[in-house]
Amino acid sequence: MPWQVKINPDMPVIETCYSGHLSPDELCAAAKETYCQARLLGTNLLLSDCTALAGGHSVFDLYQLAGDACIHTGTAMKEAVVLPELPAQKENVIFWETTCRNRGLQVRIFEDRKSALDWLRGQTEA
């Protein structure tokens, strides 16, 4: 499976790790599971690790998903996204951040996991 959702053991953060090619259906399934786990844990903090993401979905899929995120989480969601290593995929993640922010969601991209977690903890501004 090109995605996995887990609870961070050190803080109330839902982590979703993406790898390889992620189809539009897999992207939607990952998002739904992430939002479900966030509700169960009672948190609005999300960490999306896209380091190993290789593609498989389009900006149109991301645009639709951003609309769904507003419906499922409202503007209370705070998501830190770790950039992928592949340059072409970085553009998609930047698109995700921009699309979400335009909808009022708190989404920020980071070069590394530590910076992402620091922002979620409120230790940095981004």
Side-chain angles (χ1 to χ4, degrees):
M1 180 178 343
W3 59 271
Q4 178 184 16
V5 177
K6 61 184 179 179
I7 299 170
N8 183 302
D10 300 323
M11 60 186 287
V13 172
I14 302 300
E15 295 187 29
T16 307
C17 298
Y18 301 98
S19 62
H21 285 80
L22 189 69
S23 74
D25 288 341
E26 291 166 329
L27 179 66
C28 287
K32 287 178 183 175
E33 181 63 19
T34 299
Y35 304 145
C36 179
Q37 291 299 317
R39 277 192 302 279
L40 288 173
L41 186 61
T43 187
N44 65 334
L45 303 177
L46 309 176
L47 174 67
S48 295
D49 186 345
C50 298
T51 306
L53 185 62
H57 53 279
S58 71
V59 294
F60 300 109
D61 300 317
L62 294 171
Y63 183 82
Q64 178 65 42
L65 189 61
D68 293 345
C70 288
I71 294 167
H72 291 288
T73 67
T75 57
M77 175 182 80
K78 186 174 181 181
E79 180 183 16
V81 183
V82 181
L83 283 168
E85 294 175 355
L86 296 174
Q89 292 313 304
K90 285 183 182 182
E91 292 301 318
N92 280 351
V93 171
I94 292 167
F95 177 84
W96 171 251
E97 178 192 43
T98 302
T99 300
C100 287
R101 291 179 73 173
N102 286 344
R103 292 175 183 254
L105 300 172
Q106 296 181 75
V107 176
R108 300 288 186 274
I109 54 176
F110 297 91
E111 293 284 335
D112 61 83
R113 179 184 169 81
K114 182 188 178 318
S115 299
L117 286 170
D118 286 348
W119 180 71
L120 288 172
R121 287 185 187 106
Q123 295 176 347
T124 63
E125 294 289 321

